[in-house]
Amino acid sequence: MAASDGAVQTDILISGGGIAGLVTAAAFGADGHRVICVDPAPPVTEEAADGSDLRTTAFLQPSIQLLERAGLWDLLAPHATPLQIMRIVDAGGAEPIARLVRDFDASDISDAPFGWNLQNWLLRREIAARLAEMPNVTFRPGTATVALTAREDEARVTLSDGTQVTARLVVGADGRNSVIREALEIGVKTTRYGQKALAFAVTHEIPHENVSTEIHRSGGPFTLVPLPDRGGKPSSAVVWMERGPEVARLMALPPEDFTAALNARSTRILGHLKPATRLTAWPIISQLADRFTGPRTALIAEAAHVVPPIGAQGLNMSLADLGLLLDLSRDDPGSRASLEAFQRRRWREARLRIAGIDLLNRASMLTPRALRDLRAAGLGAIYGIAPVRRLMMKAGLGVN
Ligand SMILES: Cc1cc2nc3c(=O)[nH]c(=O)nc-3n(C[C@H](O)[C@H](O)[C@H](O)COP(=O)(O)OP(=O)(O)OC[C@H]3O[C@@H](n4cnc5c(N)ncnc54)[C@H](O)[C@@H]3O)c2cc1C
């Protein structure tokens, strides 16, 4: 619909069509709102294409309810691999071998798995296809948000093609350097760890049996997350965190030397690992926006908070943001009362979760042997107390 001054009118304008923005568009669309979602970059929907996102997302139990509500889970479930056991391995001794292995089994706290793992490039393909079928949702890849004027009655956004859009609610899902956040002059607190994460897929000899394995030595965790078989072989996604110079060294190795380093770091827990895709590297930071709201505007996902990829928290926190925003937007999306409630309930929760993940990351980076021994002792002690173990598993899922 066009206003008298030629501006396009909508209920919800979403700045950013990363996975968080795409899910947000589907969810608000499924709730019956008129939605426009913009992103300067078209989604890359094939694994082998340049620029494809080779990370995977482990959607934890509460996120599945949100994906169901958005009409997405039926499309995604056939491609998802369940995560039944979270295995933590300490390999911090003199030699890179597994010296302490502890299994956290979802059946201790629930009938369902902890979560389901999906490839990010495939998520983009499936969600973009769903949006194309929704008459009340317009996805405009190739178009950026360039300016925002936010008032109590409406928000007005200027797009890179010159279009003016007025919305009852603008959702900033435009990533860690959010243009919407900057337009609202909201600051951020950022912690840099000097780490990067290598993300890629491997095939391996031993089936993963739906076990996600996190191996700690120094520099950061090394995680193997189950994927569907690839060419008849068991396959997993790897997230390998190290200090920046070590990541640069690893990426520059000839393929056979990289494979040797990969197998040493994995402690061969799944037998021989063979890289199955190119390598991608992601800088690791923690970041929290000073506020999550402005007039008629809410920040979600990495525009609001960024965490290191430990315990599959990042996008799961984002979907918790979205679930609350949807509930609060039933009557008047973007109303002052709804945004105040969003700020109150999500900002503190994000700050606490960032602090917890920051601690885990720092513990995982430890180099001195004595501290690594302490870390292993701590893991053994926590694991040994069943009620504490169950409490931690539930906290990781974000349920009570
Ligand atoms: C190695 C790794 C593994 C991870 N694994 C997990 C996991 O298992 N589980 C989990 O929950 N999380 C995980 N995460 C975190 C998760 O990947 C991120 O939280 C998520 O991808 C961020 O999504 P986003 O949509 O907020 O940001 P982005 O993916 O950065 O999307 C932002 C979008 O905004 C667009 N944009 C930028 N500027 C503009 C503009 N001016 N106008 C409009 N659009 C704009 C960009 O083009 C981009 O598409 C992982 C992260 C890493 C690094």
Side-chain angles (χ1 to χ4, degrees):
M1 195 194 294
S4 54
D5 64 355
V8 176
Q9 286 180 316
T10 190
D11 297 323
I12 318 289
L13 183 286
I14 301 161
S15 178
I19 293 172
L22 293 174
V23 176
T24 303
F28 272 102
D31 271 10
H33 299 285
R34 293 168 304 163
V35 177
I36 297 173
C37 175
V38 295
D39 194 300
V44 181
T45 56
E46 284 174 35
E47 185 181 54
D50 279 352
S52 65
D53 183 348
L54 297 180
R55 294 174 297 177
T56 66
T57 300
F59 288 98
L60 302 176
Q61 277 178 25
S63 293
I64 302 303
Q65 290 159 20
L66 197 276
L67 293 174
E68 280 168 350
R69 179 171 175 184
L72 293 170
W73 184 237
D74 285 351
L75 297 173
L76 299 176
H79 307 284
T81 312
L83 306 175
Q84 182 61 33
I85 290 180
M86 299 286 190
R87 179 166 292 159
I88 310 265
V89 177
D90 196 282
E95 299 299 321
I97 49 172
R99 59 173 176 171
L100 184 86
V101 179
R102 293 290 180 266
D103 281 357
F104 295 80
D105 192 329
S107 64
D108 273 1
I109 55 167
S110 164
D111 293 338
F114 284 115
W116 285 261
N117 196 36
L118 282 141
Q119 289 147 301
N120 282 13
W121 61 266
L122 184 141
L123 284 164
R124 287 191 166 81
R125 184 187 76 193
E126 295 297 320
I127 304 171
R130 159 93 175 138
L131 296 185
E133 288 171 355
M134 299 179 82
N136 53 333
V137 178
T138 308
F139 177 39
R140 296 182 55 180
T143 312
T145 308
V146 292
L148 166 76
T149 311
R151 297 193 319 233
E152 285 301 325
D153 57 338
E154 67 174 26
R156 179 174 287 255
V157 170
T158 308
L159 303 180
S160 52
D161 62 2
T163 309
Q164 301 273 318
V165 181
T166 61
R168 299 168 75 188
L169 172 66
V170 170
V171 180
D174 42 7
R176 49 182 75 180
N177 302 316
S178 168
V179 164
I180 295 295
R181 192 183 64 221
E182 275 174 21
L184 293 170
E185 297 182 355
I186 297 176
V188 290
K189 284 196 184 54
T190 308
T191 305
R192 297 180 198 285
Y193 301 97
Q195 283 171 304
K196 283 191 176 168
L198 281 174
F200 55 104
V202 292
T203 54
H204 40 85
E205 290 169 330
I206 302 172
H208 50 60
E209 311 279 12
N210 301 337
V211 178
S212 180
T213 306
E214 201 171 278
I215 305 168
H216 298 263
R217 186 165 165 74
S218 62
F222 176 100
T223 310
L224 288 155
V225 195
L227 287 175
D229 285 359
R230 179 184 281 266
K233 295 200 174 118
S235 178
S236 292
V238 175
V239 178
W240 183 356
M241 285 166 64
E242 290 285 0
R243 291 171 203 275
E246 175 62 0
V247 167
R249 186 189 74 81
L250 288 167
M251 290 186 86
L253 287 175
E256 60 277 17
D257 293 353
F258 178 80
T259 302
L262 170 68
N263 279 284
R265 185 65 181 84
S266 77
T267 70
R268 296 180 192 272
I269 201 154
L270 293 178
H272 183 76
L273 303 185
K274 189 169 173 216
T277 62
R278 68 192 159 80
L279 308 177
T280 57
W282 302 85
I284 302 304
I285 60 167
S286 287
Q287 184 166 282
L288 181 67
D290 295 342
R291 279 185 292 122
F292 287 180
T293 59
R296 294 271 157 197
T297 312
L299 302 177
I300 67 161
E302 290 206 341
H305 44 70
V306 186
V307 290
I310 297 180
Q313 296 292 312
L315 197 64
N316 285 284
M317 286 165 73
S318 312
L319 296 194
D321 299 340
L322 173 57
L324 179 64
L325 196 58
L326 285 168
D327 288 345
L328 294 169
S329 300
R330 285 216 172 92
D331 299 330
D332 178 9
S335 69
R336 180 195 277 249
S338 69
L339 293 174
E340 281 174 358
F342 182 74
Q343 165 69 23
R344 212 171 36 247
R345 289 171 60 184
R346 288 310 298 162
W347 188 84
R348 191 165 171 275
E349 154 74 18
R351 191 183 59 168
L352 288 173
R353 220 158 260 272
I354 288 174
I357 297 165
D358 174 80
L359 261 182
L360 290 175
N361 190 32
R362 288 179 194 280
S364 186
M365 289 173 79
L366 294 173
T367 306
R369 264 292 300 288
L371 292 179
R372 293 190 330 214
D373 292 348
L374 258 182
R375 180 182 68 202
L379 169 61
I382 286 170
Y383 188 86
I385 309 169
V388 176
R389 185 169 77 233
R390 283 195 286 271
L391 204 70
M392 289 197 58
M393 287 195 266
K394 288 184 178 172
L397 286 185
V399 297
N400 297 320

